[in-house]
Amino acid sequence: GSEMCIRDRTNGYSMARTRIFLEGDFTDKIYYHIRMNINATSNMELFVAYLQWNIKNNMKLRAGKQFMALGREDWMYPENLASMEFSANDFTYAIWNSFGFQFHHQVNDKFRYWASIGNGVYGGRKPYPAPETSDIMLTARAEFQLMGTNWGIWDDMLGRKGQDFGMLLGAGAAYNHRSDTLTIADYSENGYQINVDYSVSGNGYQLFTQGSMTSRTYNDGLLDNTVYGFYGTFGYWFTKKVFGYTRYDLVLKGDHKLASENYASPGLGVSYYPFTWTNRVRISLEYNHLNAKINNTLVVPDGSLGLVESSYGGQQSIRFQLQFGF
């Protein structure tokens, strides 16, 4: 027999995102937040636009286009991630931004929760696994500080030196429904998602793990599926400015009929933060490895993941990134 080996190398650069923030207080009760995004294809989009009513006793209500609390990774700003970019798990299953109402209550130093109603969907920015619109979506997320009482340490996934120790358990659930009579008569879809995450943040290190299950049912039953995802990072500060990390990204095909391989990608990286008081400026170098043919998985190839479309084999990527904000 014979075996054909195909190797190819792709080089390039991109600006993954350029975001403009406008935020402030109309009164001590009303806060506004507007975020514009210029994506990698140079298109400008209204990313976030909401009003927040500070009701009382750490209770808030947001109305408008926003991110809904479900999984902890998707709840982060990109600059506050341990790694260079969001995971493939997040790209595939996250709700992304949606329009609706979201209530938040920080009950005490140990427990807080969010609840929302909107029109978001899982993976709404990608063709898979959901359409870009839905009729209704309900989400809820709760967080418990198993150890520690400082909510501020969970604003990022870095665990800088000098920070309080804490242990966090989070859980989120979502339901969305979509019907469409324009293309297929009486077409309808119901989607369900459950996320569970566990985080440790300490004096110079951090650990984050998250597992998810997404299930969809259709009125014809032909594409019913249940799929799974996992993502984890561990990071350690070698100095006050040098942060090293490992990551593992997993998107399981489950019983989905449109995929034949699982996406499993380990990686590692190092970041340099010139300023110890902010995460907005950093220089990163990251390596990732993928064994699967990405076209056979549920993950849509995306330059932000450092991967290109391929049906011939696995991929490896080395990426360098300069991030800054002001």
Side-chain angles (χ1 to χ4, degrees):
S2 63
E3 181 177 328
M4 180 173 65
C5 180
I6 298 176
R7 294 183 178 178
D8 190 18
R9 183 175 61 203
T10 301
N11 301 318
Y13 67 91
S14 68
M15 293 186 65
R17 60 179 62 87
T18 303
R19 293 181 179 171
I20 303 169
F21 289 73
L22 298 171
E23 56 183 323
D25 297 309
F26 284 125
T27 69
D28 59 349
K29 290 286 188 180
I30 303 296
Y31 162 85
Y32 68 90
H33 186 115
I34 298 172
R35 209 180 313 166
M36 304 295 296
N37 183 54
I38 303 173
N39 59 32
T41 59
S42 299
N43 292 322
M44 179 172 282
E45 56 185 334
L46 180 61
F47 206 53
V48 170
Y50 66 79
L51 290 175
Q52 176 177 290
W53 176 27
N54 301 320
I55 304 171
K56 62 176 182 178
N57 299 331
N58 295 317
M59 297 170 61
K60 301 173 183 177
L61 179 65
R62 291 179 179 178
K65 192 171 187 180
Q66 58 187 295
F67 284 81
M68 305 302 189
L70 181 59
R72 183 165 176 248
E73 183 196 6
D74 196 55
W75 195 235
M76 291 287 111
Y77 286 129
E79 68 207 41
N80 295 325
L81 299 171
S83 58
M84 184 181 291
E85 182 56 89
F86 290 98
S87 66
N89 184 66
D90 182 76
F91 270 56
T92 305
Y93 298 132
I95 293 173
W96 207 230
N97 49 11
S98 57
F99 186 88
F101 299 89
Q102 181 166 213
F103 176 77
H104 170 52
H105 185 196
Q106 182 177 307
V107 179
N108 50 42
D109 290 338
K110 290 291 187 180
F111 175 64
R112 63 184 181 181
Y113 67 91
W114 294 259
S116 78
I117 180 171
N119 70 341
V121 292
Y122 314 123
R125 59 178 168 169
K126 299 293 180 185
Y128 175 83
E132 294 183 354
T133 60
S134 66
D135 295 326
I136 189 171
M137 179 193 69
L138 305 173
T139 73
R141 175 172 171 82
E143 292 182 347
F144 307 85
Q145 290 209 75
L146 302 177
M147 295 186 68
T149 58
N150 182 2
W151 286 114
I153 65 175
W154 306 116
D155 290 342
D156 64 30
M157 294 181 165
L158 297 175
R160 281 184 178 269
K161 286 182 175 290
Q163 187 168 279
D164 294 339
F165 178 80
M167 226 178 252
L168 183 75
L169 178 65
Y175 162 78
N176 77 272
H177 172 78
R178 176 179 182 255
S179 60
D180 185 356
T181 58
L182 296 178
T183 55
I184 304 175
D186 299 325
Y187 170 86
S188 65
E189 171 196 354
N190 292 306
Y192 311 86
Q193 186 174 111
I194 297 174
N195 284 318
V196 178
D197 52 84
Y198 172 74
S199 305
V200 177
S201 190
N203 179 9
Y205 61 91
Q206 69 82 35
L207 168 72
F208 168 73
T209 59
Q210 176 175 301
S212 65
M213 178 188 75
T214 303
S215 182
R216 283 183 177 78
T217 60
Y218 301 83
N219 62 337
D220 57 13
L222 296 178
L223 286 176
D224 290 3
N225 65 84
T226 301
V227 292
Y228 307 90
F230 172 83
Y231 183 59
T233 61
F234 175 76
Y236 180 80
W237 290 90
F238 295 103
T239 72
K240 288 187 176 181
K241 296 184 177 182
V242 179
F243 179 74
Y245 60 88
T246 61
R247 61 194 303 273
Y248 185 72
D249 205 346
L250 182 65
V251 177
L252 296 172
K253 62 186 179 62
D255 59 0
H256 202 289
K257 299 175 180 63
L258 300 181
S260 59
E261 295 187 57
N262 295 322
Y263 177 105
S265 176
L268 54 88
V270 61
S271 294
Y272 174 71
Y273 293 79
F275 308 111
T276 57
W277 61 88
T278 181
N279 301 333
R280 291 182 176 178
V281 181
R282 69 174 172 180
I283 301 170
S284 300
L285 181 67
E286 185 177 290
Y287 166 82
N288 288 286
H289 177 80
L290 174 66
N291 270 332
K293 305 175 184 67
I294 191 169
N295 290 3
N296 294 348
T297 72
L298 296 177
V299 178
V300 177
D302 190 294
S304 295
L305 293 175
L307 300 170
V308 295
E309 184 176 357
S310 173
S311 299
Y312 295 105
Q315 299 183 48
Q316 300 181 71
S317 68
I318 299 176
R319 295 188 292 168
F320 172 80
Q321 177 177 277
L322 170 63
Q323 171 189 286
F324 63 91
F326 51 88

